[in-house]
mmCIF file with all atom_site columns, all heavy atoms in Angstrom:
data_model
loop_
_atom_site.group_PDB
_atom_site.id
_atom_site.type_symbol
_atom_site.label_atom_id
_atom_site.label_alt_id
_atom_site.label_comp_id
_atom_site.label_asym_id
_atom_site.label_entity_id
_atom_site.label_seq_id
_atom_site.pdbx_PDB_ins_code
_atom_site.Cartn_x
_atom_site.Cartn_y
_atom_site.Cartn_z
_atom_site.occupancy
_atom_site.B_iso_or_equiv
_atom_site.pdbx_formal_charge
_atom_site.auth_seq_id
_atom_site.auth_comp_id
_atom_site.auth_asym_id
_atom_site.auth_atom_id
_atom_site.pdbx_PDB_model_num
ATOM 1   N N   . ALA E 1 1  ? 66.095 46.593 -104.964 1.00 97.00 ? 1173 ALA E N   1
ATOM 2   C CA  . ALA E 1 1  ? 65.643 47.277 -106.175 1.00 97.00 ? 1173 ALA E CA  1
ATOM 3   C C   . ALA E 1 1  ? 64.217 46.870 -106.534 1.00 97.00 ? 1173 ALA E C   1
ATOM 4   O O   . ALA E 1 1  ? 63.896 45.683 -106.615 1.00 97.00 ? 1173 ALA E O   1
ATOM 5   C CB  . ALA E 1 1  ? 66.579 46.963 -107.344 1.00 97.00 ? 1173 ALA E CB  1
ATOM 6   N N   . ASN E 1 2  ? 63.369 47.873 -106.752 1.00 97.00 ? 1174 ASN E N   1
ATOM 7   C CA  . ASN E 1 2  ? 61.995 47.714 -107.243 1.00 97.00 ? 1174 ASN E CA  1
ATOM 8   C C   . ASN E 1 2  ? 61.011 47.157 -106.213 1.00 97.00 ? 1174 ASN E C   1
ATOM 9   O O   . ASN E 1 2  ? 59.814 47.395 -106.320 1.00 97.00 ? 1174 ASN E O   1
ATOM 10  C CB  . ASN E 1 2  ? 61.952 46.853 -108.522 1.00 97.00 ? 1174 ASN E CB  1
ATOM 11  C CG  . ASN E 1 2  ? 62.712 47.497 -109.665 1.00 97.00 ? 1174 ASN E CG  1
ATOM 12  O OD1 . ASN E 1 2  ? 62.418 48.614 -110.055 1.00 97.00 ? 1174 ASN E OD1 1
ATOM 13  N ND2 . ASN E 1 2  ? 63.717 46.789 -110.193 1.00 97.00 ? 1174 ASN E ND2 1
ATOM 14  N N   . ASP E 1 3  ? 61.503 46.420 -105.217 1.00 97.00 ? 1175 ASP E N   1
ATOM 15  C CA  . ASP E 1 3  ? 60.627 45.907 -104.164 1.00 97.00 ? 1175 ASP E CA  1
ATOM 16  C C   . ASP E 1 3  ? 61.508 45.335 -103.060 1.00 97.00 ? 1175 ASP E C   1
ATOM 17  O O   . ASP E 1 3  ? 62.587 44.808 -103.333 1.00 97.00 ? 1175 ASP E O   1
ATOM 18  C CB  . ASP E 1 3  ? 59.706 44.800 -104.719 1.00 97.00 ? 1175 ASP E CB  1
ATOM 19  C CG  . ASP E 1 3  ? 58.642 44.347 -103.724 1.00 97.00 ? 1175 ASP E CG  1
ATOM 20  O OD1 . ASP E 1 3  ? 58.527 44.964 -102.641 1.00 97.00 ? 1175 ASP E OD1 1
ATOM 21  O OD2 . ASP E 1 3  ? 57.924 43.368 -104.030 1.00 97.00 ? 1175 ASP E OD2 1
ATOM 22  N N   . VAL E 1 4  ? 61.065 45.478 -101.827 1.00 96.00 ? 1176 VAL E N   1
ATOM 23  C CA  . VAL E 1 4  ? 61.733 44.813 -100.705 1.00 96.00 ? 1176 VAL E CA  1
ATOM 24  C C   . VAL E 1 4  ? 60.667 44.026 -99.963  1.00 96.00 ? 1176 VAL E C   1
ATOM 25  O O   . VAL E 1 4  ? 59.868 44.600 -99.215  1.00 96.00 ? 1176 VAL E O   1
ATOM 26  C CB  . VAL E 1 4  ? 62.445 45.815 -99.773  1.00 96.00 ? 1176 VAL E CB  1
ATOM 27  C CG1 . VAL E 1 4  ? 63.061 45.092 -98.585  1.00 96.00 ? 1176 VAL E CG1 1
ATOM 28  C CG2 . VAL E 1 4  ? 63.531 46.568 -100.528 1.00 96.00 ? 1176 VAL E CG2 1
ATOM 29  N N   . MET E 1 5  ? 60.638 42.724 -100.216 1.00 97.00 ? 1177 MET E N   1
ATOM 30  C CA  . MET E 1 5  ? 59.594 41.860 -99.663  1.00 97.00 ? 1177 MET E CA  1
ATOM 31  C C   . MET E 1 5  ? 60.094 40.989 -98.521  1.00 97.00 ? 1177 MET E C   1
ATOM 32  O O   . MET E 1 5  ? 59.309 40.463 -97.747  1.00 97.00 ? 1177 MET E O   1
ATOM 33  C CB  . MET E 1 5  ? 58.999 40.984 -100.776 1.00 97.00 ? 1177 MET E CB  1
ATOM 34  C CG  . MET E 1 5  ? 59.869 39.832 -101.270 1.00 97.00 ? 1177 MET E CG  1
ATOM 35  S SD  . MET E 1 5  ? 61.490 40.318 -101.909 1.00 97.00 ? 1177 MET E SD  1
ATOM 36  C CE  . MET E 1 5  ? 60.994 41.260 -103.347 1.00 97.00 ? 1177 MET E CE  1
ATOM 37  N N   . ALA E 1 6  ? 61.440 40.819 -98.431  1.00 97.00 ? 1178 ALA E N   1
ATOM 38  C CA  . ALA E 1 6  ? 62.028 39.960 -97.411  1.00 97.00 ? 1178 ALA E CA  1
ATOM 39  C C   . ALA E 1 6  ? 63.529 39.886 -97.656  1.00 97.00 ? 1178 ALA E C   1
ATOM 40  O O   . ALA E 1 6  ? 64.043 40.451 -98.628  1.00 97.00 ? 1178 ALA E O   1
ATOM 41  C CB  . ALA E 1 6  ? 61.435 38.544 -97.476  1.00 97.00 ? 1178 ALA E CB  1
ATOM 42  N N   . TYR E 1 7  ? 64.225 39.182 -96.780  1.00 98.00 ? 1179 TYR E N   1
ATOM 43  C CA  . TYR E 1 7  ? 65.605 38.806 -97.073  1.00 98.00 ? 1179 TYR E CA  1
ATOM 44  C C   . TYR E 1 7  ? 65.598 37.760 -98.184  1.00 98.00 ? 1179 TYR E C   1
ATOM 45  O O   . TYR E 1 7  ? 64.691 36.918 -98.255  1.00 98.00 ? 1179 TYR E O   1
ATOM 46  C CB  . TYR E 1 7  ? 66.290 38.230 -95.831  1.00 98.00 ? 1179 TYR E CB  1
ATOM 47  C CG  . TYR E 1 7  ? 66.806 39.288 -94.889  1.00 98.00 ? 1179 TYR E CG  1
ATOM 48  C CD1 . TYR E 1 7  ? 65.951 39.947 -94.014  1.00 98.00 ? 1179 TYR E CD1 1
ATOM 49  C CD2 . TYR E 1 7  ? 68.149 39.640 -94.885  1.00 98.00 ? 1179 TYR E CD2 1
ATOM 50  C CE1 . TYR E 1 7  ? 66.414 40.931 -93.147  1.00 98.00 ? 1179 TYR E CE1 1
ATOM 51  C CE2 . TYR E 1 7  ? 68.634 40.623 -94.024  1.00 98.00 ? 1179 TYR E CE2 1
ATOM 52  C CZ  . TYR E 1 7  ? 67.754 41.261 -93.174  1.00 98.00 ? 1179 TYR E CZ  1
ATOM 53  O OH  . TYR E 1 7  ? 68.219 42.238 -92.336  1.00 98.00 ? 1179 TYR E OH  1
ATOM 54  N N   . ILE E 1 8  ? 66.640 37.812 -99.026  1.00 98.00 ? 1180 ILE E N   1
ATOM 55  C CA  . ILE E 1 8  ? 66.792 36.829 -100.091 1.00 98.00 ? 1180 ILE E CA  1
ATOM 56  C C   . ILE E 1 8  ? 68.053 36.025 -99.795  1.00 98.00 ? 1180 ILE E C   1
ATOM 57  O O   . ILE E 1 8  ? 69.161 36.430 -100.149 1.00 98.00 ? 1180 ILE E O   1
ATOM 58  C CB  . ILE E 1 8  ? 66.869 37.497 -101.479 1.00 98.00 ? 1180 ILE E CB  1
ATOM 59  C CG1 . ILE E 1 8  ? 65.652 38.387 -101.721 1.00 98.00 ? 1180 ILE E CG1 1
ATOM 60  C CG2 . ILE E 1 8  ? 66.982 36.441 -102.572 1.00 98.00 ? 1180 ILE E CG2 1
ATOM 61  C CD1 . ILE E 1 8  ? 64.316 37.635 -101.700 1.00 98.00 ? 1180 ILE E CD1 1
ATOM 62  N N   . PRO E 1 9  ? 67.906 34.885 -99.112  1.00 98.00 ? 1181 PRO E N   1
ATOM 63  C CA  . PRO E 1 9  ? 69.076 34.079 -98.759  1.00 98.00 ? 1181 PRO E CA  1
ATOM 64  C C   . PRO E 1 9  ? 69.539 33.234 -99.942  1.00 98.00 ? 1181 PRO E C   1
ATOM 65  O O   . PRO E 1 9  ? 68.750 32.873 -100.822 1.00 98.00 ? 1181 PRO E O   1
ATOM 66  C CB  . PRO E 1 9  ? 68.550 33.192 -97.630  1.00 98.00 ? 1181 PRO E CB  1
ATOM 67  C CG  . PRO E 1 9  ? 67.096 33.022 -97.940  1.00 98.00 ? 1181 PRO E CG  1
ATOM 68  C CD  . PRO E 1 9  ? 66.656 34.321 -98.576  1.00 98.00 ? 1181 PRO E CD  1
ATOM 69  N N   . SER E 1 10 ? 70.818 32.941 -99.975  1.00 97.00 ? 1182 SER E N   1
ATOM 70  C CA  . SER E 1 10 ? 71.333 31.936 -100.892 1.00 97.00 ? 1182 SER E CA  1
ATOM 71  C C   . SER E 1 10 ? 70.965 30.560 -100.337 1.00 97.00 ? 1182 SER E C   1
ATOM 72  O O   . SER E 1 10 ? 70.454 30.431 -99.216  1.00 97.00 ? 1182 SER E O   1
ATOM 73  C CB  . SER E 1 10 ? 72.846 32.064 -101.012 1.00 97.00 ? 1182 SER E CB  1
ATOM 74  O OG  . SER E 1 10 ? 73.436 31.851 -99.733  1.00 97.00 ? 1182 SER E OG  1
ATOM 75  N N   . ARG E 1 11 ? 71.269 29.534 -101.111 1.00 96.00 ? 1183 ARG E N   1
ATOM 76  C CA  . ARG E 1 11 ? 71.008 28.177 -100.606 1.00 96.00 ? 1183 ARG E CA  1
ATOM 77  C C   . ARG E 1 11 ? 71.829 27.922 -99.339  1.00 96.00 ? 1183 ARG E C   1
ATOM 78  O O   . ARG E 1 11 ? 71.357 27.283 -98.397  1.00 96.00 ? 1183 ARG E O   1
ATOM 79  C CB  . ARG E 1 11 ? 71.333 27.145 -101.686 1.00 96.00 ? 1183 ARG E CB  1
ATOM 80  C CG  . ARG E 1 11 ? 70.835 25.742 -101.355 1.00 96.00 ? 1183 ARG E CG  1
ATOM 81  C CD  . ARG E 1 11 ? 71.120 24.757 -102.474 1.00 96.00 ? 1183 ARG E CD  1
ATOM 82  N NE  . ARG E 1 11 ? 70.538 23.453 -102.183 1.00 96.00 ? 1183 ARG E NE  1
ATOM 83  C CZ  . ARG E 1 11 ? 69.339 23.064 -102.565 1.00 96.00 ? 1183 ARG E CZ  1
ATOM 84  N NH1 . ARG E 1 11 ? 68.586 23.890 -103.278 1.00 96.00 ? 1183 ARG E NH1 1
ATOM 85  N NH2 . ARG E 1 11 ? 68.871 21.866 -102.270 1.00 96.00 ? 1183 ARG E NH2 1
ATOM 86  N N   . ARG E 1 12 ? 73.063 28.452 -99.310  1.00 95.00 ? 1184 ARG E N   1
ATOM 87  C CA  . ARG E 1 12 ? 73.922 28.285 -98.129  1.00 95.00 ? 1184 ARG E CA  1
ATOM 88  C C   . ARG E 1 12 ? 73.276 28.908 -96.892  1.00 95.00 ? 1184 ARG E C   1
ATOM 89  O O   . ARG E 1 12 ? 73.152 28.260 -95.841  1.00 95.00 ? 1184 ARG E O   1
ATOM 90  C CB  . ARG E 1 12 ? 75.290 28.925 -98.380  1.00 95.00 ? 1184 ARG E CB  1
ATOM 91  C CG  . ARG E 1 12 ? 76.199 28.964 -97.149  1.00 95.00 ? 1184 ARG E CG  1
ATOM 92  C CD  . ARG E 1 12 ? 77.483 29.758 -97.416  1.00 95.00 ? 1184 ARG E CD  1
ATOM 93  N NE  . ARG E 1 12 ? 77.224 31.179 -97.609  1.00 95.00 ? 1184 ARG E NE  1
ATOM 94  C CZ  . ARG E 1 12 ? 77.138 32.056 -96.611  1.00 95.00 ? 1184 ARG E CZ  1
ATOM 95  N NH1 . ARG E 1 12 ? 77.254 31.668 -95.361  1.00 95.00 ? 1184 ARG E NH1 1
ATOM 96  N NH2 . ARG E 1 12 ? 76.916 33.334 -96.863  1.00 95.00 ? 1184 ARG E NH2 1
ATOM 97  N N   . VAL E 1 13 ? 72.871 30.175 -97.009  1.00 96.00 ? 1185 VAL E N   1
ATOM 98  C CA  . VAL E 1 13 ? 72.295 30.878 -95.858  1.00 96.00 ? 1185 VAL E CA  1
ATOM 99  C C   . VAL E 1 13 ? 70.957 30.266 -95.474  1.00 96.00 ? 1185 VAL E C   1
ATOM 100 O O   . VAL E 1 13 ? 70.627 30.151 -94.281  1.00 96.00 ? 1185 VAL E O   1
ATOM 101 C CB  . VAL E 1 13 ? 72.155 32.383 -96.183  1.00 96.00 ? 1185 VAL E CB  1
ATOM 102 C CG1 . VAL E 1 13 ? 71.402 33.110 -95.079  1.00 96.00 ? 1185 VAL E CG1 1
ATOM 103 C CG2 . VAL E 1 13 ? 73.534 33.014 -96.378  1.00 96.00 ? 1185 VAL E CG2 1
ATOM 104 N N   . LEU E 1 14 ? 70.178 29.844 -96.471  1.00 95.00 ? 1186 LEU E N   1
ATOM 105 C CA  . LEU E 1 14 ? 68.886 29.218 -96.181  1.00 95.00 ? 1186 LEU E CA  1
ATOM 106 C C   . LEU E 1 14 ? 69.084 27.945 -95.357  1.00 95.00 ? 1186 LEU E C   1
ATOM 107 O O   . LEU E 1 14 ? 68.338 27.686 -94.400  1.00 95.00 ? 1186 LEU E O   1
ATOM 108 C CB  . LEU E 1 14 ? 68.159 28.906 -97.486  1.00 95.00 ? 1186 LEU E CB  1
ATOM 109 C CG  . LEU E 1 14 ? 66.691 28.486 -97.394  1.00 95.00 ? 1186 LEU E CG  1
ATOM 110 C CD1 . LEU E 1 14 ? 65.848 29.596 -96.770  1.00 95.00 ? 1186 LEU E CD1 1
ATOM 111 C CD2 . LEU E 1 14 ? 66.151 28.134 -98.772  1.00 95.00 ? 1186 LEU E CD2 1
ATOM 112 N N   . SER E 1 15 ? 70.093 27.162 -95.715  1.00 94.00 ? 1187 SER E N   1
ATOM 113 C CA  . SER E 1 15 ? 70.334 25.913 -94.981  1.00 94.00 ? 1187 SER E CA  1
ATOM 114 C C   . SER E 1 15 ? 70.885 26.184 -93.582  1.00 94.00 ? 1187 SER E C   1
ATOM 115 O O   . SER E 1 15 ? 70.631 25.425 -92.648  1.00 94.00 ? 1187 SER E O   1
ATOM 116 C CB  . SER E 1 15 ? 71.306 25.022 -95.756  1.00 94.00 ? 1187 SER E CB  1
ATOM 117 O OG  . SER E 1 15 ? 72.594 25.601 -95.834  1.00 94.00 ? 1187 SER E OG  1
ATOM 118 N N   . GLU E 1 16 ? 71.652 27.289 -93.429  1.00 92.00 ? 1188 GLU E N   1
ATOM 119 C CA  . GLU E 1 16 ? 72.188 27.633 -92.113  1.00 92.00 ? 1188 GLU E CA  1
ATOM 120 C C   . GLU E 1 16 ? 71.116 28.176 -91.181  1.00 92.00 ? 1188 GLU E C   1
ATOM 121 O O   . GLU E 1 16 ? 71.237 28.089 -89.961  1.00 92.00 ? 1188 GLU E O   1
ATOM 122 C CB  . GLU E 1 16 ? 73.298 28.667 -92.266  1.00 92.00 ? 1188 GLU E CB  1
ATOM 123 C CG  . GLU E 1 16 ? 74.563 28.131 -92.918  1.00 92.00 ? 1188 GLU E CG  1
ATOM 124 C CD  . GLU E 1 16 ? 75.595 29.223 -93.161  1.00 92.00 ? 1188 GLU E CD  1
ATOM 125 O OE1 . GLU E 1 16 ? 75.287 30.407 -92.907  1.00 92.00 ? 1188 GLU E OE1 1
ATOM 126 O OE2 . GLU E 1 16 ? 76.702 28.880 -93.608  1.00 92.00 ? 1188 GLU E OE2 1
ATOM 127 N N   . GLY E 1 17 ? 70.058 28.762 -91.762  1.00 92.00 ? 1189 GLY E N   1
ATOM 128 C CA  . GLY E 1 17 ? 68.995 29.327 -90.941  1.00 92.00 ? 1189 GLY E CA  1
ATOM 129 C C   . GLY E 1 17 ? 69.387 30.663 -90.347  1.00 92.00 ? 1189 GLY E C   1
ATOM 130 O O   . GLY E 1 17 ? 70.114 31.435 -90.961  1.00 92.00 ? 1189 GLY E O   1
ATOM 131 N N   . GLY E 1 18 ? 68.909 30.922 -89.146  1.00 93.00 ? 1190 GLY E N   1
ATOM 132 C CA  . GLY E 1 18 ? 69.194 32.212 -88.531  1.00 93.00 ? 1190 GLY E CA  1
ATOM 133 C C   . GLY E 1 18 ? 68.294 33.307 -89.069  1.00 93.00 ? 1190 GLY E C   1
ATOM 134 O O   . GLY E 1 18 ? 67.304 33.052 -89.763  1.00 93.00 ? 1190 GLY E O   1
ATOM 135 N N   . TYR E 1 19 ? 68.648 34.541 -88.760  1.00 93.00 ? 1191 TYR E N   1
ATOM 136 C CA  . TYR E 1 19 ? 67.799 35.688 -89.107  1.00 93.00 ? 1191 TYR E CA  1
ATOM 137 C C   . TYR E 1 19 ? 67.611 35.819 -90.612  1.00 93.00 ? 1191 TYR E C   1
ATOM 138 O O   . TYR E 1 19 ? 66.493 35.822 -91.123  1.00 93.00 ? 1191 TYR E O   1
ATOM 139 C CB  . TYR E 1 19 ? 68.429 36.955 -88.522  1.00 93.00 ? 1191 TYR E CB  1
ATOM 140 C CG  . TYR E 1 19 ? 67.582 38.197 -88.688  1.00 93.00 ? 1191 TYR E CG  1
ATOM 141 C CD1 . TYR E 1 19 ? 66.464 38.407 -87.880  1.00 93.00 ? 1191 TYR E CD1 1
ATOM 142 C CD2 . TYR E 1 19 ? 67.908 39.155 -89.644  1.00 93.00 ? 1191 TYR E CD2 1
ATOM 143 C CE1 . TYR E 1 19 ? 65.690 39.548 -88.024  1.00 93.00 ? 1191 TYR E CE1 1
ATOM 144 C CE2 . TYR E 1 19 ? 67.138 40.295 -89.790  1.00 93.00 ? 1191 TYR E CE2 1
ATOM 145 C CZ  . TYR E 1 19 ? 66.030 40.487 -88.983  1.00 93.00 ? 1191 TYR E CZ  1
ATOM 146 O OH  . TYR E 1 19 ? 65.276 41.620 -89.140  1.00 93.00 ? 1191 TYR E OH  1
ATOM 147 N N   . GLU E 1 20 ? 68.729 35.909 -91.352  1.00 95.00 ? 1192 GLU E N   1
ATOM 148 C CA  . GLU E 1 20 ? 68.627 36.088 -92.806  1.00 95.00 ? 1192 GLU E CA  1
ATOM 149 C C   . GLU E 1 20 ? 68.119 34.819 -93.494  1.00 95.00 ? 1192 GLU E C   1
ATOM 150 O O   . GLU E 1 20 ? 67.542 34.885 -94.577  1.00 95.00 ? 1192 GLU E O   1
ATOM 151 C CB  . GLU E 1 20 ? 69.988 36.470 -93.393  1.00 95.00 ? 1192 GLU E CB  1
ATOM 152 C CG  . GLU E 1 20 ? 70.552 37.772 -92.874  1.00 95.00 ? 1192 GLU E CG  1
ATOM 153 C CD  . GLU E 1 20 ? 71.412 37.588 -91.639  1.00 95.00 ? 1192 GLU E CD  1
ATOM 154 O OE1 . GLU E 1 20 ? 71.419 36.484 -91.061  1.00 95.00 ? 1192 GLU E OE1 1
ATOM 155 O OE2 . GLU E 1 20 ? 72.083 38.563 -91.238  1.00 95.00 ? 1192 GLU E OE2 1
ATOM 156 N N   . GLY E 1 21 ? 68.340 33.670 -92.869  1.00 94.00 ? 1193 GLY E N   1
ATOM 157 C CA  . GLY E 1 21 ? 67.926 32.407 -93.471  1.00 94.00 ? 1193 GLY E CA  1
ATOM 158 C C   . GLY E 1 21 ? 66.460 32.080 -93.307  1.00 94.00 ? 1193 GLY E C   1
ATOM 159 O O   . GLY E 1 21 ? 65.979 31.108 -93.901  1.00 94.00 ? 1193 GLY E O   1
ATOM 160 N N   . GLY E 1 22 ? 65.737 32.853 -92.520  1.00 93.00 ? 1194 GLY E N   1
ATOM 161 C CA  . GLY E 1 22 ? 64.306 32.580 -92.371  1.00 93.00 ? 1194 GLY E CA  1
ATOM 162 C C   . GLY E 1 22 ? 63.655 33.269 -91.199  1.00 93.00 ? 1194 GLY E C   1
ATOM 163 O O   . GLY E 1 22 ? 62.458 33.559 -91.225  1.00 93.00 ? 1194 GLY E O   1
ATOM 164 N N   . GLY E 1 23 ? 64.417 33.555 -90.167  1.00 94.00 ? 1195 GLY E N   1
ATOM 165 C CA  . GLY E 1 23 ? 63.832 34.168 -88.983  1.00 94.00 ? 1195 GLY E CA  1
ATOM 166 C C   . GLY E 1 23 ? 63.185 35.510 -89.239  1.00 94.00 ? 1195 GLY E C   1
ATOM 167 O O   . GLY E 1 23 ? 62.199 35.883 -88.584  1.00 94.00 ? 1195 GLY E O   1
ATOM 168 N N   . ALA E 1 24 ? 63.722 36.261 -90.216  1.00 96.00 ? 1196 ALA E N   1
ATOM 169 C CA  . ALA E 1 24 ? 63.200 37.594 -90.488  1.00 96.00 ? 1196 ALA E CA  1
ATOM 170 C C   . ALA E 1 24 ? 61.878 37.581 -91.244  1.00 96.00 ? 1196 ALA E C   1
ATOM 171 O O   . ALA E 1 24 ? 61.219 38.617 -91.342  1.00 96.00 ? 1196 ALA E O   1
ATOM 172 C CB  . ALA E 1 24 ? 64.226 38.397 -91.283  1.00 96.00 ? 1196 ALA E CB  1
ATOM 173 N N   . MET E 1 25 ? 61.485 36.426 -91.766  1.00 96.00 ? 1197 MET E N   1
ATOM 174 C CA  . MET E 1 25 ? 60.260 36.378 -92.578  1.00 96.00 ? 1197 MET E CA  1
ATOM 175 C C   . MET E 1 25 ? 59.035 36.837 -91.794  1.00 96.00 ? 1197 MET E C   1
ATOM 176 O O   . MET E 1 25 ? 58.098 37.403 -92.354  1.00 96.00 ? 1197 MET E O   1
ATOM 177 C CB  . MET E 1 25 ? 60.031 34.959 -93.105  1.00 96.00 ? 1197 MET E CB  1
ATOM 178 C CG  . MET E 1 25 ? 61.123 34.449 -94.023  1.00 96.00 ? 1197 MET E CG  1
ATOM 179 S SD  . MET E 1 25 ? 61.266 35.390 -95.562  1.00 96.00 ? 1197 MET E SD  1
ATOM 180 C CE  . MET E 1 25 ? 60.228 34.425 -96.645  1.00 96.00 ? 1197 MET E CE  1
ATOM 181 N N   . VAL E 1 26 ? 59.040 36.596 -90.473  1.00 96.00 ? 1198 VAL E N   1
ATOM 182 C CA  . VAL E 1 26 ? 57.888 36.971 -89.658  1.00 96.00 ? 1198 VAL E CA  1
ATOM 183 C C   . VAL E 1 26 ? 57.657 38.479 -89.703  1.00 96.00 ? 1198 VAL E C   1
ATOM 184 O O   . VAL E 1 26 ? 56.507 38.948 -89.667  1.00 96.00 ? 1198 VAL E O   1
ATOM 185 C CB  . VAL E 1 26 ? 58.071 36.477 -88.206  1.00 96.00 ? 1198 VAL E CB  1
ATOM 186 C CG1 . VAL E 1 26 ? 59.245 37.170 -87.517  1.00 96.00 ? 1198 VAL E CG1 1
ATOM 187 C CG2 . VAL E 1 26 ? 56.800 36.689 -87.398  1.00 96.00 ? 1198 VAL E CG2 1
ATOM 188 N N   . TYR E 1 27 ? 58.720 39.267 -89.810  1.00 96.00 ? 1199 TYR E N   1
ATOM 189 C CA  . TYR E 1 27 ? 58.576 40.720 -89.806  1.00 96.00 ? 1199 TYR E CA  1
ATOM 190 C C   . TYR E 1 27 ? 58.065 41.243 -91.142  1.00 96.00 ? 1199 TYR E C   1
ATOM 191 O O   . TYR E 1 27 ? 57.546 42.353 -91.216  1.00 96.00 ? 1199 TYR E O   1
ATOM 192 C CB  . TYR E 1 27 ? 59.915 41.377 -89.458  1.00 96.00 ? 1199 TYR E CB  1
ATOM 193 C CG  . TYR E 1 27 ? 60.480 40.881 -88.155  1.00 96.00 ? 1199 TYR E CG  1
ATOM 194 C CD1 . TYR E 1 27 ? 61.602 40.051 -88.138  1.00 96.00 ? 1199 TYR E CD1 1
ATOM 195 C CD2 . TYR E 1 27 ? 59.880 41.208 -86.943  1.00 96.00 ? 1199 TYR E CD2 1
ATOM 196 C CE1 . TYR E 1 27 ? 62.109 39.581 -86.942  1.00 96.00 ? 1199 TYR E CE1 1
ATOM 197 C CE2 . TYR E 1 27 ? 60.376 40.731 -85.744  1.00 96.00 ? 1199 TYR E CE2 1
ATOM 198 C CZ  . TYR E 1 27 ? 61.489 39.918 -85.748  1.00 96.00 ? 1199 TYR E CZ  1
ATOM 199 O OH  . TYR E 1 27 ? 61.984 39.446 -84.564  1.00 96.00 ? 1199 TYR E OH  1
ATOM 200 N N   . TYR E 1 28 ? 58.230 40.461 -92.195  1.00 96.00 ? 1200 TYR E N   1
ATOM 201 C CA  . TYR E 1 28 ? 57.744 40.866 -93.518  1.00 96.00 ? 1200 TYR E CA  1
ATOM 202 C C   . TYR E 1 28 ? 56.346 40.341 -93.805  1.00 96.00 ? 1200 TYR E C   1
ATOM 203 O O   . TYR E 1 28 ? 55.747 40.693 -94.826  1.00 96.00 ? 1200 TYR E O   1
ATOM 204 C CB  . TYR E 1 28 ? 58.710 40.377 -94.599  1.00 96.00 ? 1200 TYR E CB  1
ATOM 205 C CG  . TYR E 1 28 ? 59.973 41.197 -94.690  1.00 96.00 ? 1200 TYR E CG  1
ATOM 206 C CD1 . TYR E 1 28 ? 61.154 40.779 -94.082  1.00 96.00 ? 1200 TYR E CD1 1
ATOM 207 C CD2 . TYR E 1 28 ? 59.987 42.396 -95.397  1.00 96.00 ? 1200 TYR E CD2 1
ATOM 208 C CE1 . TYR E 1 28 ? 62.306 41.532 -94.178  1.00 96.00 ? 1200 TYR E CE1 1
ATOM 209 C CE2 . TYR E 1 28 ? 61.140 43.153 -95.492  1.00 96.00 ? 1200 TYR E CE2 1
ATOM 210 C CZ  . TYR E 1 28 ? 62.296 42.717 -94.879  1.00 96.00 ? 1200 TYR E CZ  1
ATOM 211 O OH  . TYR E 1 28 ? 63.443 43.465 -94.970  1.00 96.00 ? 1200 TYR E OH  1
ATOM 212 N N   . GLY E 1 29 ? 55.839 39.450 -92.959  1.00 94.00 ? 1201 GLY E N   1
ATOM 213 C CA  . GLY E 1 29 ? 54.474 38.971 -93.139  1.00 94.00 ? 1201 GLY E CA  1
ATOM 214 C C   . GLY E 1 29 ? 54.318 37.829 -94.115  1.00 94.00 ? 1201 GLY E C   1
ATOM 215 O O   . GLY E 1 29 ? 53.187 37.397 -94.376  1.00 94.00 ? 1201 GLY E O   1
#
């Protein structure tokens, strides 16, 4: 809604890593 700048991981997903946890950031710049 209103903007799509990147994936927004929870603390759980951020700590697990992977695509949604941080890998996708490269595609959003």
